[in-house]
Amino acid sequence: MALAPPRTLSPSKVSAFTSCPLAFRFSQIERRPEPPSAPAVKGTLVHAALERLFWHHPAGHRTPAAAALELERAWDALQEDEEVVELGLDEEAAAAFVHDARQLVENYFLLEDPNDTRTVGVELGVETDLDGLRLRGIIDRLDVLPDGRLIVVDYKTGRAPSERFERGSLGGVQTYALLCESMLGQAPAEVRLLYLRQPLAITAVASDQTIRGQRKRAVAVWSAIERACDREDFRPNVGPLCDHCNFKSSCPAFAA
């Protein structure tokens, strides 16, 4: 191939390619450097706090105070992280950054009681082979119901999609249902997106039909990536997200 495709595919990479093939090439194939994203770093911080809440506090002790403590510890641990350093937050900006992250963690408790969950995995790495494709990802949380059925939970720190785009937002987490079935031999009974900003929970059933659909979609996207690499043909997809793209200055659609 003229260009080497990525070794693996993840839900985020599937979304990146379908959103804009050219930006995918710059980011995932050419590996062009990108400036750190404050929302992404904040997402990392909030995910770390909730991960620590479940790892370090047994059921019955997962309180808002415990989560706030774990947020502080997670923030301390991130101080030497390259992306945090590159954000260049001064004292006031850092305080506002952590305050907003704390609000997101507090909002989590409006969506569910973590003491009522039986969690068997957090930040769980899963991967499988599909027709020559290596599909992998990280599940934020995997729960088990009393009857043994599984639930995949995914935390979101951005804004929830409008009703029009709600179904599309479940694509990534439905892919995790496919990974669970492939690795564990059991598809989850439900997949849940917990949007902490609103807060809002979106739940869907992981049916055989949706899992088959995700399998076909993943294989189809992988085939499209291979074709694009072979032809060196990654075309831009111009839209509202272009104003936030790190590669806009390199895009032929904006050459003028």
Side-chain angles (χ1 to χ4, degrees):
M1 288 186 179
L3 294 172
R7 295 181 179 179
T8 63
L9 202 60
S10 67
S12 61
K13 289 180 181 178
V14 169
S15 177
F17 181 80
T18 55
S19 294
C20 181
L22 184 58
F24 176 89
R25 170 179 174 166
F26 291 153
S27 175
Q28 301 299 326
I29 296 177
E30 296 185 8
R31 297 289 183 180
R32 296 191 183 187
E34 299 179 65
S37 162
V41 173
K42 189 175 297 178
T44 298
L45 173 61
V46 171
H47 277 71
L50 294 176
E51 176 187 4
R52 297 172 68 100
L53 176 69
F54 279 87
W55 271 130
H56 302 307
H57 302 269
H61 298 274
R62 296 167 185 158
T63 63
L69 175 62
E70 294 301 346
L71 181 72
E72 292 181 10
R73 290 172 173 170
W75 178 240
D76 289 341
L78 282 174
Q79 291 310 293
E80 301 302 322
D81 184 89
E82 183 178 349
E83 290 192 345
V84 174
V85 173
E86 288 185 14
L87 285 179
L89 301 176
D90 59 25
E91 185 175 345
E92 182 178 355
F97 185 92
V98 174
H99 175 78
D100 188 53
R102 187 177 299 112
Q103 184 62 60
L104 293 173
V105 171
E106 291 175 0
N107 285 350
Y108 162 72
F109 288 87
L110 301 177
L111 294 172
E112 66 178 8
D113 183 351
N115 297 297
D116 291 337
T117 69
R118 182 186 172 196
T119 298
V120 294
V122 293
E123 295 296 310
L124 183 65
V126 286
E127 58 182 71
T128 190
D129 287 312
L130 298 175
D131 300 332
L133 156 67
R134 192 65 177 172
L135 185 66
R136 65 189 307 175
I138 298 177
I139 295 176
D140 288 345
R141 207 179 81 217
L142 186 65
D143 294 348
V144 177
L145 295 171
D147 60 6
R149 293 180 299 159
L150 301 174
I151 294 180
V152 170
V153 179
D154 195 48
Y155 306 122
K156 298 294 185 182
T157 52
R159 292 200 170 276
S162 64
E163 186 175 343
R164 176 185 174 189
F165 297 103
E166 182 176 301
R167 183 176 180 180
S169 69
L170 286 163
V173 75
Q174 289 282 17
T175 302
Y176 290 122
L178 165 62
L179 286 164
C180 278
E181 183 183 61
S182 298
M183 282 194 65
L184 306 177
Q186 177 183 348
E190 292 182 356
V191 291
R192 295 178 183 170
L193 293 177
L194 301 184
Y195 284 91
L196 308 180
R197 178 67 63 187
Q198 269 72 6
L200 174 70
I202 299 177
T203 302
V205 175
S207 65
D208 291 340
Q209 181 179 359
T210 58
I211 291 176
R212 285 197 304 270
Q214 289 304 312
R215 180 186 296 271
K216 290 180 180 178
R217 180 171 182 256
V219 172
V221 169
W222 181 250
S223 296
I225 292 173
E226 288 185 317
R227 286 195 302 271
C229 286
D230 186 47
R231 301 169 184 171
E232 294 190 55
D233 184 14
F234 290 82
R235 302 183 184 184
N237 184 13
V238 179
L241 294 178
C242 293
D243 289 337
H244 307 284
C245 179
N246 293 320
F247 308 111
K248 186 175 181 179
S249 62
S250 301
C251 180
F254 297 92

